[in-house]
């Protein structure tokens, strides 16, 4: 079903085509009709079949070079080239971005050459020059999505600023308005790369100035500019921590919402709703983020009262994509599983229009978002299925966003693939997947450098740190922890507390955890001190009232630090502090909302309670340890999370081993041995040498204890064998503390066997 607007446009285009087919290019009326045809086709391409319509136009213009000579009216020829440039920029939004921008710039160059060749004065020369600059700047802004982001944004800014100084005439208010909007947009984007506060302020100033040029024809962009002003106030508030800026953000937002009227112009109303839904996503740093996202979703749903897939397929697709984004961001605030499910649903709905053959770029952008959403959803249920779907979406996106054509998009996909590999590594094939993740991150670093893409560079370094940290759990512990620390410190060169407070917090948390882990292998006091220093830095950013989840992660990290500190000194005191911190985290981290983090904390609690029972001699702590491990086992099953399952079995063995000191020694040691053997089904030496060696060490101790009860020679033989296996991994050079401990116990076992 077609809308009245589409029917009218198709009728006009049909009449224009009939005229163009019958008449000569040499006639002035031909040029006038051609311009009308191009304009009508451009408007129709916004409603339906953009690629088909634009290709049809370009086919008609294949012989357009004939129009560059002869006695045709120059301004018509120039205007036609301007429209052609605009059409190429439109086509660049759906395919071959860089190639079509180059074609657009060539059309502008030709138009400029024609204008220069006119010796006699023409009244609209300045207007043409302004159009050229507007189109060129739009081209560079489009290229900033492809490569050399910062450089292309600066190029766009320089062109528009030059135009602003040269063409102050207000005869064409709309061109002037577009020029200032492009300039403000460029400053806003550049703020993500350099001089964040200064560029936000520059963008704010220009956005405000653009508001003076409001007209009926630019009302949608006017509303968008108001919302960007609100977004800038919001970002400035996060930098300066000024309540007044949030009030400014809210009042500007309210002003935007009062502009449109559904009864006067329903289609414009629907498109403005689409715009509001899109730009609201720039307000995700707002303190009332949930309220804003809920309102964005409502506006987008209001638009659907008018935008049906039959009448306005392009607008409908934009609407569905924006709903996907809004639900995705809302999932970060509340009801993660349901909102992620809705985000995925709307993404698939937009793909009903964004077919690969017609809209390859829109199709692939949606696939990237799907990939990220499936990864998030995998934390809740149907893990393998969602991980495979997400990775497939990203691998599909790489086929279009190649390294040569779209290096920036390619790098973004590589970052997300790295995240996938890290997650896969928590399930199986840990070392292989972590090495794949590191390779993906390093490939992205070859494109997104600290000079050109500082925030993306910092993200990659942070992710690299996490990958090296987890690789340290497999092998080469100290060297991989050193690599993790180096990556985190590199990230902090960009992630400073003033400009990127939350990113600073996250990296400081990971830095703290890494120092704490390293303290078990070298420079105990120094590394624990550094762990606490990083922990204190993270506290500068978050409170339980403002950022409850972040606060919970800090408490989990604190529990980890105190647990490691208890190995070094003041065991009982630090174990109690560890337990207190973990319970503080569990006040926020629930099984329903954050099942994986909840189960992870329960494993840690089980280990700490077991250690506390051994240190204090209080058997009651063992039942708490058992409860915690059983709670974690409800999430981490053998089939779904084999590595976490093995960790639970390892700690269960530890609990039974300590329980044997209190009662039913032989029975509980047998249970301990059974649990360790169950863990070793997963923790094989080839894949997980450190975990394998740790479980073998504890298994040796269990056999040692069993030898005290009966079958002395047989059990000591098994103990000695397990000690020897552990020493194959825990070498003197890399693990001197652990090695010394094992050697001492092995020597005693050998002496007992000989005696």
């Amino acid at each position: 079903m077609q809308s009245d607007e589409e029917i009218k446009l198709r009728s006009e285009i049909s009449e224009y085509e009939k005229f163009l087919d019958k008449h000569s290019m040499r006639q002035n009326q031909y040029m006038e009709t051609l311009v009308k045809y191009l304009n009508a086709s451009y408007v129709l391409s916004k409603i339906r079949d953009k690629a088909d319509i634009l290709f049809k136009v370009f086919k008609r213009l294949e012989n357009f070079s004939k129009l560059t000579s002869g006695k045709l009216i120059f301004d018509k020829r120039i205007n036609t080239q301007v429209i052609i440039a605009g059409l190429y920029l439109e086509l660049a939004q759906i395919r071959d971005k860089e190639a079509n921008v180059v074609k657009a710039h060539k059309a502008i160059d030709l138009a400029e050459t024609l204008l220069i060749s006119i010796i006699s004065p023409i009244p609209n020369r300045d207007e043409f020059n302004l159009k050229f600059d507007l189109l060129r700047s739009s081209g560079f802004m489009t290229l900033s999505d492809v490569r050399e982001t910062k450089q292309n944004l600066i190029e766009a800014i320089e062109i528009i600023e030059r135009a602003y100084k040269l063409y102050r005439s207000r005869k064409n208010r709309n061109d002037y308005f577009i020029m200032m909007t492009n300039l403000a947009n460029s400053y806003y984007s550049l703020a993500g790369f350099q001089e964040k506060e200064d560029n936000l302020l520059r963008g704010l100033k220009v956005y405000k100035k653009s508001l003076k040029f409001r007209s009926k024809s630019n009302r949608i962009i006017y509303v968008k500019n108001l919302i960007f002003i609100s977004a800038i106030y919001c970002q400035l508030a996060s930098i300066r921590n000024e309540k007044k800026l949030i009030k400014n953000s809210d009042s500007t937002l309210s002003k935007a919402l009062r502009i449109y009227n559904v009864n006067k112009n329903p289609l414009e109303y629907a498109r403005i709703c689409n715009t509001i839904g899109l730009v609201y996503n720039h307000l995700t740093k707002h303190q009332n983020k949930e309220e804003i996202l809920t309102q964005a979703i409502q506006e987008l749903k209001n638009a659907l009262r008018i935008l049906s897939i039959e009448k306005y397929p392009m607008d409908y697709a934009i609407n569905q994509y924006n709903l996907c984004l809004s639900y995705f961001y809302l999932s970060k605030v509340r009801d993660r599983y349901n909102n992620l499910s809705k985000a995925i649903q709307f993404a698939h709905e937009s793909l009903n229009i964004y077919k690969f053959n017609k809209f390859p770029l829109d199709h692939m952008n949606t696939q990237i978002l799907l990939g990220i959403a499936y990864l998030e959803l995998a934390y809740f249920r149907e893990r393998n299925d969602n991980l495979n779907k997400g990775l497939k979406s990203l691998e599909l996106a790489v086929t279009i966003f190649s390294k040569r054509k779209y290096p920036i998009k390619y790098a973004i996909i590589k970052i997300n693939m790295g995240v996938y590999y890290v997650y896969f590594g928590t399930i199986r094939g840990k070392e292989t997947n972590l090495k794949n993740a590191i390779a993906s991150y390093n490939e992205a670093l070859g494109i997104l450098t600290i000079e050109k893409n500082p925030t993306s560079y910092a993200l990659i370094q942070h992710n690299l740190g996490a990958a090296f940290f987890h690789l340290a759990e497999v092998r080469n512990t100290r060297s991989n922890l050193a690599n993790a620390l180096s990556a985190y410190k590199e990230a902090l060169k960009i992630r400073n507390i003033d400009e990127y407070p939350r990113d600073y917090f996250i990296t400081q948390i990971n830095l703290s955890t890494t120092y704490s882990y390293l303290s078990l292998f070298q420079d105990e006091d120094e590394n624990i001190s550094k762990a606490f220093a990083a922990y204190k830095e993270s506290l500068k950013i978050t409170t339980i009232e403002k950022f409850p989840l972040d606060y919970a992660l800090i408490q989990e990290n604190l529990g980890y630090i105190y647990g490691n500190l208890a190995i070094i000194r003041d065991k009982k005191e630090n174990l109690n502090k560890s337990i207190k911190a973990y319970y503080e985290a569990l006040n926020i981290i629930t099984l329903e909302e954050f099942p994986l983090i909840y189960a992870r904390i329960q494993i840690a609690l089980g280990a700490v309670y077991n250690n506390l029972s051994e240190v204090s001699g209080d058997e009651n702590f063992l039942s708490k340890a058992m409860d915690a491990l059983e709670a974690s086992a409800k999430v981490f099953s053998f089939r779904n999370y084999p590595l976490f399952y093995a960790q639970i079995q390892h700690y269960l063995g530890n609990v039974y081993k300590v329980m044997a000191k209190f009662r039913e020694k032989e029975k509980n040691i047998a249970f301990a041995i059974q649990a360790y053997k169950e863990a070793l089904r997963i923790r094989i030496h080839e894949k997980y040498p450190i975990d394998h060696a740790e479980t073998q060490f504890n298994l040796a101790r269990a056999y040692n204890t069993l030898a005290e009860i009966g079958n002395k020679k047989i059990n000591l033989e098994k103990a000695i064998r397990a000690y020897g296996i552990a020493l194959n991994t825990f070498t003197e050079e890399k693990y001197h503390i652990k090695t010394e401990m094992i050697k001492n116990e092995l020597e005693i076992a050998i002496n007992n066997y000989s005696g």
Side-chain angles (χ1 to χ4, degrees):
M1 184 187 296
Q2 296 179 353
S3 65
D4 293 341
E5 181 185 14
E6 183 178 355
I7 292 168
K8 181 185 175 186
L9 283 166
R10 288 191 182 278
S11 174
E12 289 174 355
I13 289 169
S14 178
E15 291 301 315
Y16 297 147
E17 286 174 337
K18 288 176 184 176
F19 179 89
L20 294 172
D21 290 338
K22 288 180 180 179
H23 294 79
S24 167
M25 289 183 181
R26 299 289 174 179
Q27 296 178 357
N28 288 338
Q29 196 176 356
Y30 179 95
M31 291 298 300
E32 291 175 4
T33 306
L34 179 63
V35 171
K36 290 177 182 178
Y37 165 74
L38 293 175
N39 278 323
S41 297
Y42 174 78
V43 175
L44 183 61
S45 73
K46 295 283 191 179
I47 299 174
R48 187 191 305 270
D49 301 332
K50 178 180 276 191
D52 292 345
I53 291 166
L54 292 178
F55 281 130
K56 187 178 179 183
V57 168
F58 287 126
K59 189 173 182 181
R60 181 171 288 279
L61 296 173
E62 278 178 356
N63 299 320
F64 192 70
S65 58
K66 296 175 183 178
L67 296 175
T68 60
S69 60
K71 298 180 180 180
L72 299 175
I73 298 173
F74 272 92
D75 63 343
K76 292 289 190 298
R77 289 161 58 191
I78 294 168
N79 203 35
T80 304
Q81 289 297 334
V82 166
I83 294 171
I84 289 171
L87 291 172
Y88 273 123
L89 290 178
E90 278 296 313
L91 192 59
Q93 301 307 314
I94 56 175
R95 66 172 67 238
D96 302 326
K97 193 165 275 196
E98 189 169 9
N100 282 308
V101 169
V102 170
K103 290 176 182 177
H105 282 177
K106 283 183 179 178
I108 300 164
D109 291 341
L110 178 56
E112 195 169 44
T113 301
L114 287 168
L115 184 63
I116 292 169
S117 69
I118 303 174
I119 301 172
S120 59
I122 58 172
N124 53 354
R125 185 182 293 270
D126 282 353
E127 284 187 32
F128 277 131
N129 281 320
L130 178 57
K131 286 182 187 294
F132 300 158
D133 285 335
L134 281 174
L135 288 165
R136 276 206 184 90
S137 65
S138 295
F140 282 115
M141 289 172 70
T142 301
L143 280 179
S144 72
D145 288 336
V146 179
R147 64 175 77 247
E148 308 291 345
T149 304
K150 186 167 75 171
Q151 182 181 329
N152 280 309
L153 286 172
I154 291 171
E155 190 79 33
I157 287 170
E158 287 175 354
I159 290 171
I160 304 170
E161 285 184 334
R162 182 179 68 242
Y164 177 72
K165 291 174 184 176
L166 292 176
Y167 314 116
R168 292 177 179 271
S169 167
R170 298 189 181 184
K171 289 180 181 178
N172 192 329
R173 293 172 60 86
N174 195 55
D175 281 348
Y176 203 71
F177 173 78
I178 297 297
M179 178 181 68
M180 286 188 288
T181 297
N182 283 2
L183 181 59
N185 289 344
S186 298
Y187 277 130
Y188 182 82
S189 297
L190 189 61
F193 297 90
Q194 65 181 38
E195 301 172 0
K196 184 173 185 179
E197 185 173 358
D198 289 343
N199 279 312
L200 285 174
L201 289 170
R202 291 179 186 123
L204 179 64
K205 182 179 178 181
V206 181
Y207 276 131
K208 284 183 173 179
K209 189 173 285 189
S210 76
L211 300 182
K212 298 175 183 177
F213 296 89
R214 173 184 174 183
S215 67
K216 286 183 179 179
S217 63
N218 63 35
R219 186 153 46 178
I220 291 176
I221 301 175
Y222 177 85
V223 171
K224 186 184 287 189
N225 288 359
L226 279 173
I227 301 170
F228 271 118
I229 289 172
S230 179
I232 290 176
Y233 278 131
C234 182
Q235 292 195 44
L236 288 172
S238 70
I239 296 171
R240 296 180 176 181
N241 197 25
E242 295 178 14
K243 291 183 179 179
K244 179 183 176 183
L245 291 168
I246 288 293
K247 288 182 179 178
N248 289 345
S249 177
D250 290 340
S251 62
T252 308
L253 205 54
S254 297
K255 184 178 179 182
L257 295 174
R258 291 195 299 267
I259 287 172
Y260 56 85
N261 187 306
V262 64
N263 297 319
K264 289 184 179 179
N265 193 327
L267 182 58
E268 184 184 79
Y269 161 82
R271 286 174 173 164
I272 286 175
C273 286
N274 261 3
T275 297
I276 289 172
L278 171 65
V279 188
Y280 266 19
N281 292 316
H282 291 263
L283 291 167
T284 52
K285 289 187 177 181
H286 198 290
Q287 63 183 11
N288 299 320
K289 180 162 63 175
E290 181 178 354
E291 179 185 332
I292 284 171
L293 287 168
T294 303
Q295 192 168 358
I297 289 167
Q298 186 56 54
E299 299 297 342
L300 289 165
K301 287 183 175 179
N302 288 344
L304 287 175
R305 289 154 49 192
I306 292 120
L307 302 176
S308 66
I309 191 170
E310 297 82 13
K311 286 188 175 182
Y312 301 102
M314 291 293 296
D315 291 301
Y316 179 83
I318 292 167
N319 177 279
Q320 297 298 292
Y321 182 83
N322 290 347
L323 274 168
C324 168
L325 273 178
S326 297
Y327 275 113
F328 178 78
Y329 286 124
L330 189 60
S331 74
K332 304 285 186 183
V333 182
R334 62 171 168 83
D335 200 5
R336 294 184 76 194
Y337 176 79
N338 287 331
N339 285 318
L340 282 169
S341 299
K342 288 176 182 176
I344 290 169
Q345 173 194 332
F346 285 114
H348 281 295
E349 186 64 22
S350 72
L351 288 175
N352 288 331
I353 304 299
Y354 291 148
K355 300 293 186 184
F356 174 75
N357 60 333
K358 292 188 175 182
F359 303 97
L361 298 188
D362 291 317
H363 181 91
M364 290 310 173
N365 279 324
T366 307
Q367 290 290 355
I368 292 173
L369 186 53
L370 266 176
I372 298 168
Y374 275 125
L375 173 62
E376 298 273 343
L377 196 64
Y379 282 96
F380 292 91
R381 61 187 66 176
E382 298 169 349
R383 193 207 57 238
N384 285 336
D385 187 40
N386 285 319
L387 283 176
N388 288 325
K389 284 179 180 176
L391 192 57
K392 184 179 177 182
S393 288
L394 293 177
E395 287 172 344
L396 188 61
V398 168
T399 61
I400 287 295
F401 293 128
S402 65
K403 187 175 183 178
R404 184 178 65 83
K405 281 189 170 184
Y406 299 95
I408 292 174
K409 286 283 187 187
Y410 177 85
I412 290 169
I413 294 169
K414 282 293 175 181
I415 293 170
N416 284 299
M417 289 180 79
V419 175
Y420 262 90
Y421 285 128
V422 170
Y423 191 7
F424 272 120
T426 66
I427 302 165
R428 58 178 59 88
K430 190 168 186 175
E431 185 174 8
T432 301
N433 278 306
L434 287 170
K435 285 181 176 178
N436 285 340
I438 290 166
S440 291
Y441 293 142
N442 281 327
E443 195 169 0
L445 280 176
I447 298 165
L448 303 174
T449 64
I450 191 170
E451 297 81 15
K452 295 178 180 178
N453 308 87
T455 52
S456 297
Y457 173 86
L459 172 64
I460 299 167
Q461 291 291 352
H462 175 89
N463 288 0
L464 259 179
F468 278 120
F469 177 87
H470 291 300
L471 193 58
E473 297 171 334
V474 180
R475 66 175 74 246
N476 301 328
T477 303
R478 283 193 283 182
S479 62
N480 280 314
L481 288 175
N483 288 337
L485 290 172
S486 175
Y488 288 137
K489 289 174 183 176
E490 193 67 20
L492 288 171
K493 288 180 180 178
I494 304 301
R495 294 183 159 191
N496 60 69
I497 195 168
D498 297 317
E499 289 188 287
Y500 308 101
R502 192 168 187 281
D503 293 336
Y504 177 82
F505 151 75
I506 293 169
T507 302
Q508 287 292 350
I509 282 287
N510 284 18
L511 196 64
S512 173
T513 305
T514 307
Y515 275 125
S516 178
Y517 189 17
L518 188 60
S519 72
L520 300 178
F521 303 96
Q522 65 184 48
D523 305 326
E524 298 163 1
D525 290 338
E526 180 185 347
N527 284 314
I528 278 292
S529 295
K530 288 179 178 178
F532 274 113
Y535 159 73
K536 288 176 182 176
E537 279 298 311
S538 68
L539 286 178
K540 293 178 180 178
I541 308 303
T542 189
T543 63
I544 190 169
E545 294 80 16
K546 286 180 71 176
F547 306 104
L549 179 58
D550 293 345
Y551 176 81
L553 294 176
I554 286 177
Q555 292 303 314
E556 182 191 11
N557 179 63
L558 187 59
Y560 179 78
I561 295 173
Y562 277 124
N564 285 340
L565 187 59
I567 298 171
I568 300 168
R569 60 173 179 265
D570 303 327
K571 287 182 167 35
K572 190 173 180 180
E573 178 187 348
N574 284 312
L575 288 170
N576 278 310
K577 287 180 179 178
S578 177
I579 289 167
K580 182 181 178 183
Y582 283 133
Y583 274 117
E584 187 73 12
L586 288 174
N587 287 332
I588 295 157
I589 304 295
T590 64
L591 175 62
E592 296 74 24
E593 190 73 10
F594 305 100
L596 297 187
I597 304 175
Y598 172 86
R600 187 175 72 200
I601 294 172
Q602 291 291 353
I603 291 177
L605 262 178
V608 174
Y609 269 128
N610 182 63
N611 292 340
L612 186 58
S613 175
E614 192 169 18
V615 169
S616 65
D618 188 341
E619 185 183 355
N620 292 323
F621 289 125
L622 291 176
S623 61
K624 292 184 177 180
M626 197 68 80
D627 288 343
L629 292 172
E630 286 175 358
S632 66
K634 291 176 182 177
V635 178
F636 295 139
S637 66
F638 175 84
R639 188 175 66 85
N640 289 331
Y641 295 94
L643 295 184
F644 283 115
Y645 172 84
Q647 189 178 19
I648 293 167
Q649 293 301 316
H650 176 89
Y651 285 135
L652 271 174
N654 292 351
V655 172
Y656 282 122
K657 187 155 60 71
V658 174
M659 195 178 290
K661 295 179 180 180
F662 294 100
R663 56 187 165 87
E664 301 179 284
K665 190 172 186 177
E666 185 174 3
K667 177 184 175 183
N668 282 312
I669 283 295
F671 282 148
I673 291 170
Q674 182 183 341
Y676 290 138
K677 287 182 176 179
E678 183 68 11
L680 287 171
R681 288 176 59 197
I682 310 298
R683 293 182 162 190
I684 60 175
H685 174 74
E686 292 75 17
K687 290 187 175 181
Y688 313 107
I690 295 174
D691 290 338
H692 176 81
E694 190 67 51
T695 303
Q696 287 286 356
F697 177 37
N698 284 14
L699 183 62
R701 286 177 154 183
Y703 277 123
N704 227 346
T705 302
L706 197 58
E708 298 170 4
I709 302 169
N711 298 321
K712 181 178 178 181
K713 291 280 185 182
I714 295 172
N715 286 315
L716 283 174
E717 279 179 5
K718 291 178 179 178
I720 291 165
R721 188 185 306 118
Y723 280 130
I725 293 171
L727 282 174
N728 289 335
T729 299
F730 291 134
T731 60
E732 182 72 40
E733 181 187 358
K734 293 182 178 179
Y735 305 95
H736 63 280
I737 298 173
K738 181 77 76 174
T739 304
E740 195 65 31
M741 191 186 303
I742 297 171
K743 282 183 174 179
N744 287 338
E745 293 184 20
L746 176 59
E747 185 179 352
I748 294 169
I750 292 171
N751 289 336
N752 288 337
Y753 183 82
S754 301

